[in-house]
Amino acid sequence: MLLSRNTYAVYWMSRYLERAENIARFIDVNFHLMMDLPGQTPDDWSPFISITGDEDLFYQRYPNATKRHVLQFLVNDSEYGNSVVSCLEMARQNALHVRDIITSEMWELINRYYLFLKDQAKFPITDAHAFFAQMKNFNREYLGILDASLSRDEVWHFCRLGHFVERADKTSRILDVRYFMLQKDQVETDKAYQGIQWAALLKSVEALDMYRKNWRLIHPYSVVRFLLLDELFPRSVLHCVTQVELTLLEIVHGQVGAPHLVCLRKLRALKAWLHAETSSDFVENHLHEAIDELQNLLNRFDDSLHEEFFDIHPQSAEERQLEEVRTLIAPLPLHRPELESWNSQGGMAQ
C-alpha cells in the first residue's frame, strides 16, 4: 500500500482535473444558451454568480456581473479558490509531490495545462468556444495518457477513484442547478424553450447524443433517470458509483475487512438509494431535496474513504456546516496546503 500522503495527493490531483473540466463545460454550454433564450440581458451574468454561492466575494472584487467580470472570476481568478485556474494549480501541486510515481507524460501535460491557462491575462472573450474546447481537450488527453501509460497499480486505481467520485458529484450538482433554474419560472412563454434548456443540460455532461439513442423525446423525467441511473453512460451517477465500487475492491484485493467494509457499505447504500428514488413523483416534486440527500450520501462515503485510506478523520456536522461550500463548483472544502496540516493528514507536502 502506498503511503497515505501519496494516495491522498493522487486522489485529489485527479479530482481537481475533473473538476476544472466540468466547470469549463458548464460555462461553455450556458454561454451559448444565454444567447439563444429570449428575455436574457446579454451582459447580465449574475445567475452564474448565484450558482456559485459566492456573491459576497464576487462583489467585493468586481463592480458588476458583466460577462467579462464573471468569466474572469470563474475561469482565471487565482485568488478565487474555486476558479478553474485555482483547481489546476492544486492539481499541479499535488502532481509535483507525486511526480516520481506518475508518468512523465502525465506531469508534462498537467504542467502544460496549468501554464496554458495561467498565461491568459484575461479571458479571451472573442473566441470563448475555442478556448473552452481546448480546456476540455486537455482533460481528455490526460485521461488517455492515464490509461495508456500508467501501470494498473494503486496509483492508477486512486486516480480513477478521484476521477469517478468527482464526476458523480458534478453530474448530480449540474442536474440540481439546471433543474432549479428550469422550474423557478413556469409561465407558458418559457415552456416553449424548456426543451432547449434540457438539451443544454445534457450537452453540459456530453450526454445529448447518447440520450437520444435511448429516448426519442426530451422529457424531464427521462433526462433525470438517464443522468442518475443509466448503467452504461460514463457520466451517469450510477455508472460512476459502480466504477468506484469496482476500483475499491481492486485496491483492497477483495479483502473486505471491517474498515473497508464501512466504505463499501456506505457506497452500496448510495446505490440502493439511487434505485429506490426514481419515481415520477420524485422527479417532478422532490428532486432538489433528493439531490441534497444524494450529496449527503456521497459526503459520508468520502468521509469514510478519507478516514480509512488517508488517515483523515471526518468533520463533525457543525464543522462541516461551517466549512463546506455547498455549490456547483465546490462540493467539498478545497484541499489547500496553506489551510491544512499536510504533515499530519498526508497528501501534498509543504
Side-chain angles (χ1 to χ4, degrees), residues 56-164:
D56 292 342
L57 179 61
F58 175 83
Y59 287 111
Q60 288 173 11
R61 298 173 51 82
Y62 299 91
N64 45 46
T66 63
K67 177 171 65 175
R68 181 177 298 275
H69 290 158
V70 169
L71 292 178
Q72 180 72 17
F73 181 69
L74 295 179
V75 176
N76 208 35
D77 191 334
S78 60
E79 296 183 20
Y80 174 48
N82 294 326
S83 68
V84 174
V85 73
S86 293
C87 289
L88 291 179
E89 181 180 9
M90 293 306 301
R92 180 179 179 271
Q93 290 184 36
N94 279 282
L96 180 62
H97 174 61
V98 293
R99 191 172 174 179
D100 59 330
I101 62 174
I102 62 175
T103 66
S104 58
E105 291 84 1
M106 290 172 65
W107 160 251
E108 289 168 4
L109 179 67
I110 293 170
N111 191 47
R112 176 159 53 90
Y113 191 3
Y114 170 73
L115 293 176
F116 163 76
L117 188 57
K118 190 70 174 177
D119 288 342
Q120 303 287 335
K122 294 183 179 180
F123 183 78
I125 297 293
T126 56
D127 199 7
H129 181 70
F131 177 79
F132 283 121
Q134 179 65 44
M135 293 178 65
K136 289 183 283 187
N137 285 335
F138 268 120
N139 200 52
R140 294 187 184 107
E141 188 177 351
Y142 163 76
L143 293 175
I145 290 175
L146 175 67
D147 278 344
S149 67
L150 199 62
S151 297
R152 272 35 177 181
D153 55 11
E154 289 177 349
V155 177
W156 185 77
H157 288 307
F158 275 100
C159 283
R160 280 175 53 85
L161 199 63
H163 167 70
F164 281 112

Side-chain angles (χ1 to χ4, degrees), residues 18-31:
E18 180 70 21
R19 182 177 300 184
E21 192 226 357
N22 276 273
I23 298 168
R25 180 187 300 110
F26 185 76
I27 297 172
D28 186 30
V29 170
N30 286 277
F31 180 86

Side-chain angles (χ1 to χ4, degrees), residues 219-231:
H219 185 274
Y221 176 59
S222 55
V223 170
V224 171
R225 280 190 59 89
F226 183 77
L227 293 182
L228 289 181
L229 279 177
D230 191 272
E231 294 181 346

